[in-house]
Coordinates of all heavy atoms in Angstrom, one line a residue:
I1 N 0.9 -1.2 0.0 CA 0.0 0.0 0.0 C 0.9 1.2 0.0 O 1.8 1.4 0.8 CB -0.9 0.0 1.2 CG1 -1.9 -1.2 1.2 CG2 -1.7 1.3 1.3 CD1 -2.7 -1.3 2.5
S2 N 0.7 2.1 -1.0 CA 1.4 3.4 -1.0 C 0.4 4.6 -1.1 O -0.5 4.6 -1.9 CB 2.3 3.4 -2.3 OG 3.0 4.6 -2.3
I3 N 0.6 5.6 -0.2 CA -0.4 6.7 -0.1 C 0.5 8.0 -0.2 O 1.4 8.2 0.7 CB -1.2 6.7 1.1 CG1 -2.1 5.4 1.2 CG2 -2.1 7.9 1.2 CD1 -2.8 5.2 2.5
D4 N 0.2 8.8 -1.1 CA 0.8 10.2 -1.2 C -0.3 11.2 -1.0 O -1.2 11.2 -1.7 CB 1.5 10.4 -2.5 CG 2.7 9.5 -2.7 OD1 3.6 9.7 -1.9 OD2 2.7 8.7 -3.6
T5 N -0.2 12.1 0.0 CA -1.3 12.9 0.3 C -0.7 14.2 1.0 O 0.4 14.3 1.4 CB -2.3 12.3 1.2 OG1 -3.5 13.2 1.4 CG2 -1.7 11.9 2.5
G6 N -1.6 15.2 1.2 CA -1.2 16.4 2.0 C -1.5 16.1 3.5 O -0.5 16.2 4.3
N7 N -2.7 15.7 3.8 CA -3.1 15.4 5.1 C -3.8 14.0 5.1 O -4.5 13.7 4.2 CB -4.0 16.4 5.8 CG -3.4 17.7 5.9 OD1 -2.4 17.9 6.7 ND2 -3.9 18.7 5.2
M8 N -3.6 13.2 6.2 CA -4.3 11.9 6.2 C -4.8 11.7 7.6 O -4.1 11.9 8.6 CB -3.4 10.8 5.8 CG -4.2 9.4 5.8 SD -3.1 8.1 5.2 CE -2.3 7.5 6.6
S9 N -6.1 11.3 7.8 CA -6.7 11.0 9.1 C -7.2 9.6 9.0 O -8.0 9.2 8.1 CB -7.8 12.0 9.4 OG -7.4 13.3 9.5
V10 N -6.7 8.8 9.9 CA -7.3 7.4 10.1 C -8.0 7.4 11.4 O -7.3 7.2 12.5 CB -6.1 6.3 10.0 CG1 -6.6 5.0 10.2 CG2 -5.3 6.6 8.7
I11 N -9.3 7.6 11.5 CA -10.1 7.8 12.7 C -11.1 6.6 12.7 O -11.9 6.5 11.8 CB -10.8 9.2 12.7 CG1 -9.6 10.2 12.7 CG2 -11.6 9.3 14.0 CD1 -10.2 11.6 12.6
N12 N -11.0 5.9 13.8 CA -11.9 4.7 14.0 C -11.9 3.8 12.8 O -12.9 3.2 12.4 CB -13.3 5.2 14.3 CG -13.4 5.9 15.6 OD1 -12.7 5.7 16.5 ND2 -14.4 6.8 15.6
S13 N -10.7 3.6 12.2 CA -10.5 2.7 11.1 C -9.1 2.2 11.0 O -8.2 2.6 11.7 CB -10.9 3.5 9.7 OG -10.1 4.6 9.6
Q14 N -8.9 1.4 10.0 CA -7.5 0.7 9.9 C -7.1 0.7 8.4 O -7.9 0.5 7.5 CB -7.5 -0.7 10.4 CG -7.9 -0.7 11.8 CD -7.9 -2.2 12.3 OE1 -8.2 -3.1 11.6 NE2 -7.7 -2.4 13.6
I15 N -5.8 0.8 8.2 CA -5.2 0.5 6.9 C -4.2 -0.6 7.1 O -3.4 -0.5 8.0 CB -4.5 1.8 6.3 CG1 -5.5 2.9 6.1 CG2 -3.7 1.5 5.0 CD1 -4.9 4.3 5.7
G16 N -4.3 -1.7 6.3 CA -3.5 -2.8 6.6 C -3.2 -3.6 5.4 O -3.9 -3.8 4.4
S17 N -2.0 -4.3 5.4 CA -1.6 -5.3 4.5 C -1.2 -6.4 5.5 O -0.1 -6.5 6.1 CB -0.4 -4.9 3.7 OG 0.0 -5.9 2.9
I18 N -2.1 -7.4 5.5 CA -2.0 -8.4 6.5 C -2.1 -9.8 5.9 O -2.9 -10.0 5.0 CB -3.2 -8.3 7.6 CG1 -3.1 -6.9 8.2 CG2 -3.2 -9.3 8.6 CD1 -4.3 -6.5 9.0
T19 N -1.3 -10.7 6.4 CA -1.5 -12.2 6.0 C -2.2 -12.9 7.1 O -1.9 -12.8 8.3 CB -0.2 -12.8 5.6 OG1 -0.5 -14.2 5.3 CG2 0.8 -12.8 6.8
F20 N -3.3 -13.7 6.7 CA -4.0 -14.5 7.7 C -3.7 -16.0 7.5 O -4.3 -16.8 8.1 CB -5.5 -14.2 7.4 CG -6.0 -12.9 7.9 CD1 -5.9 -11.8 7.0 CD2 -6.5 -12.7 9.2 CE1 -6.4 -10.5 7.4 CE2 -6.9 -11.4 9.6 CZ -6.9 -10.3 8.7
A21 N -2.9 -16.3 6.5 CA -2.5 -17.7 6.2 C -1.0 -17.8 5.9 O -0.2 -17.2 6.7 CB -3.3 -18.1 4.9
R22 N -0.6 -18.5 4.9 CA 0.8 -18.6 4.6 C 1.2 -17.6 3.5 O 0.6 -17.6 2.4 CB 1.1 -20.0 4.0 CG 1.3 -21.0 5.0 CD 1.9 -22.3 4.4 NE 2.2 -23.2 5.4 CZ 2.4 -24.4 5.2 NH1 2.5 -24.9 4.1 NH2 2.8 -25.2 6.3
G23 N 2.1 -16.7 3.9 CA 2.5 -15.7 3.0 C 3.0 -14.5 3.9 O 2.9 -14.4 5.0
N24 N 3.6 -13.6 3.2 CA 4.2 -12.4 3.9 C 3.2 -11.2 3.7 O 2.5 -11.0 2.7 CB 5.5 -12.0 3.3 CG 6.5 -13.1 3.4 OD1 6.6 -13.7 4.5 ND2 7.2 -13.5 2.4

């Protein structure tokens, strides 16, 4: 995930790159 911005708000939320099984 790549984000280019002026301002960023992550309020009551999530940004993720997650593995739930086999992998990175």
Side-chain angles (χ1 to χ4, degrees):
I1 298 172
S2 180
I3 299 170
D4 291 297
T5 186
N7 297 295
M8 184 172 86
S9 297
V10 181
I11 300 171
N12 297 329
S13 59
Q14 298 176 334
I15 296 175
S17 179
I18 302 169
T19 180
F20 291 87
R22 277 194 172 165
N24 300 316

